[in-house]
Amino acid sequence: MKRSWFYVLFLILSFLIYVIWQNEKQMQLENLIGEKQEENERLNMKVFLLQDYFMLQYSYSGNSMINCTVHDESGKSFELLDLLGSDYKIVVYFSQKHCDSCIKRIVEGLNSLMNKVSLNKILVIGEFENKRNFHAFKKGHDLNFPMYLINEQNNPNSVLIDENLPFICILNNEMTIKDLFIPIKELPDYMMEYYRTIIEKYHLNQIGD
């Protein structure tokens, strides 16, 4: 009789252990499915963003920038064309109207280029309503590169103005936009890969040139 009870007890315990093991496996499977679904959602969002931005980049690449007057931090005026030579430069353009997180990503990306690209190979242009806003921006952001102001009322360029987006491109005194890039705050690694690509493509990593 005791053997029968032990046997029944053994079966019950075995069944409980099996149920617990099955539940754990089910939970692991559900967690794995949930992780894969989140990964697919992130991938779909990435594809959607890239597709949209690629179309914009394609539509503006090859267009020409229009020469205009810009001002350095001391207020001295320059023609944009005079700041560009025959050698290509990285031109970074953003406006005070762009979102703070977007600009923050751009500044972080620029500062990461220190000791990789000479200062004279990067041209940072900010579109601001007035000099006060320009200097307030400089004071509030730890940007390691020189920056030039373009007054938004006198800006003849229309590159991504309607879309209200910042951009990065390669430019020389021919003023033809090459390798236009639109930073995506959700994909910061994408911007760093862009920098690595154009630095190699245009030989911009020659410090001191």
Side-chain angles (χ1 to χ4, degrees):
M1 189 69 177
K2 288 183 178 179
R3 284 185 177 180
S4 298
W5 278 108
F6 278 126
Y7 181 69
V8 171
L9 183 60
F10 173 77
L11 290 177
I12 292 173
L13 289 174
S14 298
F15 177 74
L16 289 175
I17 292 172
Y18 174 77
V19 170
I20 292 171
W21 178 77
Q22 282 290 86
N23 286 338
E24 289 180 350
K25 294 293 287 184
Q26 181 67 24
M27 289 178 62
Q28 291 175 0
L29 180 60
E30 290 176 356
N31 289 336
L32 181 61
I33 292 173
E35 291 174 0
K36 291 298 181 182
Q37 287 176 340
E38 291 179 1
E39 185 178 333
N40 285 336
E41 289 175 2
R42 289 193 297 269
L43 182 60
N44 289 335
M45 182 193 73
K46 184 176 181 179
V47 170
F48 174 78
L49 287 171
L50 290 176
Q51 184 179 25
D52 194 29
Y53 280 67
F54 275 144
M55 290 298 294
L56 285 173
Q57 289 168 187
Y58 177 78
S59 63
Y60 281 101
S61 286
N63 290 0
S64 295
M65 292 282 286
I66 301 173
N67 188 37
C68 58
T69 302
V70 297
H71 308 274
D72 67 8
E73 297 168 38
S74 68
K76 186 177 180 181
S77 298
F78 298 88
E79 292 299 303
L80 177 59
L81 187 61
D82 294 336
L83 297 175
L84 298 166
S86 58
D87 293 332
Y88 289 109
K89 291 187 177 183
I90 301 173
V91 175
V92 180
Y93 175 92
F94 55 84
S95 164
Q96 65 179 6
K97 296 178 181 178
H98 298 149
C99 69
D100 290 338
S101 56
C102 297
I103 295 176
K104 182 180 178 181
R105 290 289 189 189
I106 291 172
V107 171
E108 290 173 352
L110 280 170
N111 287 340
S112 71
L113 299 182
M114 288 294 294
N115 302 320
K116 297 179 182 178
V117 180
S118 297
L119 291 178
N120 63 356
K121 292 181 180 178
I122 294 183
L123 184 60
V124 184
I125 301 174
E127 182 183 304
F128 293 88
E129 185 178 3
N130 51 54
K131 293 179 181 179
R132 183 180 63 184
N133 291 352
F134 173 61
H135 289 294
F137 174 86
K138 283 289 297 181
K139 187 176 180 180
H141 294 77
D142 186 23
L143 181 61
N144 295 322
F145 288 89
M147 183 175 171
Y148 293 87
L149 160 71
I150 181 170
N151 190 286
E152 66 178 16
Q153 285 85 17
N154 300 322
N155 184 8
N157 290 287
S158 59
V159 179
L160 294 169
I161 295 296
D162 292 338
E163 295 84 359
N164 193 33
L165 291 170
F167 66 88
I168 306 169
C169 68
I170 298 296
L171 206 64
N172 67 359
N173 54 13
E174 294 179 358
M175 301 290 279
T176 301
I177 297 172
K178 295 182 180 294
D179 292 289
L180 180 72
F181 174 80
I182 302 171
I184 306 174
K185 63 179 180 180
E186 295 87 354
L187 304 173
D189 292 341
Y190 183 46
M191 179 170 62
M192 301 315 300
E193 182 60 34
Y194 168 80
Y195 280 135
R196 283 191 288 269
T197 300
I198 61 172
I199 286 172
E200 181 178 350
K201 180 178 179 179
Y202 293 96
H203 307 291
L204 300 174
N205 56 348
Q206 300 170 15
I207 300 295
D209 287 0

